[in-house]
């Protein structure tokens, strides 16, 4: 399942996608939890009883601000969450 | 001499946004002969539904406005349908709560997100050909992809603002002073289809609508402009996850042809039709999840 967390507003579309099929048997030992400086990731049991990562609810509405520090304009060439997720389950839409 | 002074009374405020609440029971079925009775409770931001399923089939539902208290809304929704069919709470084997108030359903055995429940409900209502689901709820909008069993394969939710939601339509209904059920049909009564108003913010859309009225637009033309904005908004969400044939719309806005027809035009595909009230999809899915869980529980107990 592809789970998209985020929103669209007048300034653009801000979604973090998590491919839960790649996330269930995480080969990166849930590195996303510690890689994100804002600690936005959390492990939950989804509706189909799988242990997967999601974005914490409050962050889903403030992604453009929360992720700004890790974007190229702040000096990063790759995003810490995407680098940490070696199975390639995480994607940003912007 | 005593002068009698009557204080001026405020005129009664008409609530144009208020939609029709409904209770329905399938009179051809008898719940007393059912092996498993399950219930789904969807406590949404605007409406609450209770759906009863007997042996995996829809039996009845109650759809009403959500109050200011989620547990009471859930209790009232269930009481409405139980009264109609003479059922007691102890007759129900499993209750699943869903919607934004799902964790506040006091008598629920399990809580499941509305995303999974809408997919399951749409799969029941539209058949196993349903692949793309658009849920236009009271205060959010969801685009969902599912497989032939109604299992979610991709989803996207927008709950940051009221654009593309039922609440936005209620605002326009009140502004135009036209009952919400009439907005859709009236939006087609225009000479030329107008440009859409703002699709990113209901507050801006309301300001634009007022401006159009002052500029001489008819009410119907302004409604058409808002319906078009709403359609453009949700289509942009749908396009993010991709649209496949087997398109199904759930939620209250599915009853508004002014929005539905414009979505169909933008997407180039027709939404699947159903005889069941589109607003109960979430609660129906919850009740069907309840049926699966109750069946597993019964099978485990028998083993």
């Amino acid at each position: 399942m592809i789970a998209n967390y985020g929103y669209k507003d007048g300034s653009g579309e801000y979604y973090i996608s998590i491919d839960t099929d790649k996330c269930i048997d995480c080969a990166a030992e849930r590195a996303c939890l510690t890689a994100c400086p804002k600690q936005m990731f959390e492990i939950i049991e989804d509706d189909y009883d799988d242990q997967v990562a999601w974005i914490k609810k409050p962050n889903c509405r403030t992604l453009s601000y929360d992720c700004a520090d890790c974007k190229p304009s702040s000096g990063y060439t790759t995003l810490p969450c995407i680098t940490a997720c070696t199975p390639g389950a995480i994607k940003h839409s912007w | 001499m005593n002068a009698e002074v009557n204080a001026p009374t405020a005129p009664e405020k008409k609530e144009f946004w208020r939609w029709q609440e409904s209770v329905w029971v399938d009179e051809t079925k008898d719940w007393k002969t059912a092996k498993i009775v399950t219930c789904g409770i969807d406590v949404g931001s605007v409406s609450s539904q209770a759906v009863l399923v007997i042996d995996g089939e829809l039996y009845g539902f109650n759809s009403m406005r959500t109050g200011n208290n989620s547990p009471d809304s859930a209790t009232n929704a269930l009481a409405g349908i139980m009264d109609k069919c003479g059922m007691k709470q102890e007759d129900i084997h499993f209750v699943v709560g869903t919607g934004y108030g799902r964790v506040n359903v006091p008598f629920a055995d399990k809580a499941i997100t509305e995303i999974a429940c809408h997919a399951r409900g749409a799969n029941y209502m539209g058949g196993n050909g349903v692949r793309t689901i658009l849920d236009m709820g009271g205060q959010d909008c969801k685009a969902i992809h599912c497989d032939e069993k109604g299992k979610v394969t991709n989803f996207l939710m927008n709950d940051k603002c009221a654009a593309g939601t039922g609440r936005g339509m209620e605002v326009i209904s009140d502004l135009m002073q036209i009952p919400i059920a009439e907005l859709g049909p009236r939006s087609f009564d225009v000479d030329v289809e107008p440009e859409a108003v703002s699709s990113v913010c209901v507050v801006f859309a309301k300001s634009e609508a007022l401006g159009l009225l002052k500029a001489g637009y008819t009410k119907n033309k302004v409604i058409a402009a808002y319906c078009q904005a709403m359609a453009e908004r949700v289509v942009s969400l749908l396009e993010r996850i991709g649209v496949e044939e087997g398109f199904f719309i759930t939620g209250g806005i599915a009853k508004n042809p002014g929005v539905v027809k414009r979505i169909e035009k933008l997407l180039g595909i027709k939404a699947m039709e159903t005889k069941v009230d589109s607003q109960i999809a979430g609660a129906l899915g919850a009740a069907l999840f309840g049926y699966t869980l109750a069946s597993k529980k019964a099978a485990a107990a028998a083993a």
Side-chain angles (χ1 to χ4, degrees):
Chain A
M1 177 168 73
I2 310 291
N4 295 282
Y5 300 101
Y7 57 92
K8 174 185 177 178
D9 65 12
S11 66
E13 287 187 30
Y14 308 98
Y15 289 101
I16 294 179
S17 305
I18 299 177
D19 184 339
T20 59
D21 294 334
K22 292 177 181 170
C23 185
I24 293 167
D25 298 316
C26 181
E29 297 180 348
R30 307 294 189 196
C32 58
L33 299 180
T34 49
C36 175
K38 294 276 169 70
Q39 298 183 319
M40 296 196 302
F41 293 87
E42 189 175 34
I43 303 301
I44 55 142
E45 188 175 273
D46 72 6
D47 292 324
Y48 305 105
D49 301 329
D50 294 318
Q51 296 280 324
V52 294
W54 80 337
I55 305 294
K56 290 176 187 170
K57 271 276 171 198
N59 299 109
C60 286
R61 294 178 180 183
T62 52
L63 281 188
S64 66
Y65 308 105
D66 293 336
C67 295
D69 291 348
C70 295
K71 292 287 182 182
S73 56
S74 299
Y76 279 88
T77 50
T78 55
L79 293 163
C81 57
I82 291 178
T83 308
C85 181
T86 50
I90 300 171
K91 280 182 185 161
H92 282 225
S93 70
W94 77 110
Chain B
M1 194 172 74
N2 290 330
E4 201 171 291
V5 179
N6 290 327
T9 54
E12 193 183 334
K13 191 175 184 300
K14 206 170 174 189
E15 294 174 316
F16 293 96
W17 52 264
R18 194 169 278 280
W19 42 269
Q20 189 71 43
E21 298 181 333
S22 56
V23 188
W24 173 84
V25 166
D26 186 346
E27 306 285 356
T28 63
K29 295 187 178 104
D30 181 8
W31 67 267
K32 287 173 187 159
T33 60
K35 285 180 188 161
I36 297 176
V37 179
T38 58
C39 177
I41 305 277
D42 182 355
V43 182
S45 53
V46 169
S47 68
S48 294
Q49 288 83 26
V51 168
L52 290 173
V53 160
I54 56 172
D55 293 335
E57 294 292 326
L58 174 63
Y59 174 62
F61 67 81
N62 181 21
S63 178
M64 58 192 291
R65 195 140 185 106
T66 297
N68 56 7
N69 176 316
S70 291
D72 285 353
S73 299
T75 306
N76 293 339
L78 180 59
I81 183 68
M82 287 196 306
D83 288 349
K84 178 96 174 165
C85 57
M87 194 184 281
K88 289 179 184 160
Q89 207 168 307
E90 49 267 33
D91 296 320
I92 301 170
H93 298 100
F94 208 94
V95 180
V96 172
T98 189
Y100 94 107
R102 62 184 175 274
V103 293
N104 290 319
V105 179
F107 44 87
D109 298 293
K110 189 175 170 75
I112 297 178
T113 69
E114 60 271 37
I115 293 160
C117 289
H118 272 273
R120 186 79 185 264
N123 175 269
Y124 180 93
M125 291 158 79
N128 57 13
V130 171
R131 288 291 177 278
T132 308
I133 301 152
L134 172 66
D135 170 40
M136 289 189 282
Q139 285 182 16
D140 68 20
C141 179
K142 303 170 204 79
I144 305 165
H145 262 201
C146 68
D147 63 15
E148 71 284 355
K149 290 179 181 165
K151 187 180 177 185
V152 179
T153 54
N154 193 340
F155 76 85
L156 178 154
M157 184 168 165
N158 195 36
D159 63 354
K160 196 182 176 187
C161 77
T165 72
R167 181 63 199 138
M169 196 52 84
E170 290 179 355
V171 167
I172 293 299
S173 172
D174 253 0
L175 180 70
M176 296 293 133
Q177 303 209 319
I178 293 171
I180 199 158
E182 291 178 23
L183 293 182
R186 287 185 70 150
S187 75
F188 297 116
D189 190 12
V190 291
D191 45 0
V192 184
E193 185 74 12
E195 286 283 313
V197 291
S198 169
S199 64
V200 291
C201 176
V202 170
V203 178
F204 291 161
K206 188 178 172 183
S207 304
E208 278 187 53
L210 276 170
L212 291 176
L213 284 173
K214 284 176 190 165
Y217 272 46
T218 62
K219 281 187 178 182
N220 290 355
K221 209 166 176 181
V222 175
I223 294 165
Y226 188 74
C227 287
Q228 180 65 24
M230 199 164 198
E232 287 179 9
R233 170 72 176 197
V234 296
V235 164
S236 74
L237 291 179
L238 277 168
E239 284 174 341
R240 227 203 112 72
I241 66 161
V243 182
E244 286 178 38
E245 281 289 343
F247 174 52
F248 196 86
I249 305 178
T250 64
I253 304 286
K255 296 174 187 172
N256 183 324
V259 178
V260 172
K261 297 285 176 204
R262 286 176 173 86
I263 292 171
E264 289 176 339
K265 194 176 171 190
L266 288 168
L267 290 176
I269 57 171
K270 207 167 157 28
M272 295 168 84
E273 289 181 6
T274 178
K275 288 176 184 167
V276 186
D277 187 334
S278 60
Q279 241 175 322
I280 68 157
L284 174 59
L288 292 168
F289 269 116
Y291 174 69
T292 306
L293 293 165
S295 301
K296 279 183 187 170
K297 206 170 149 187

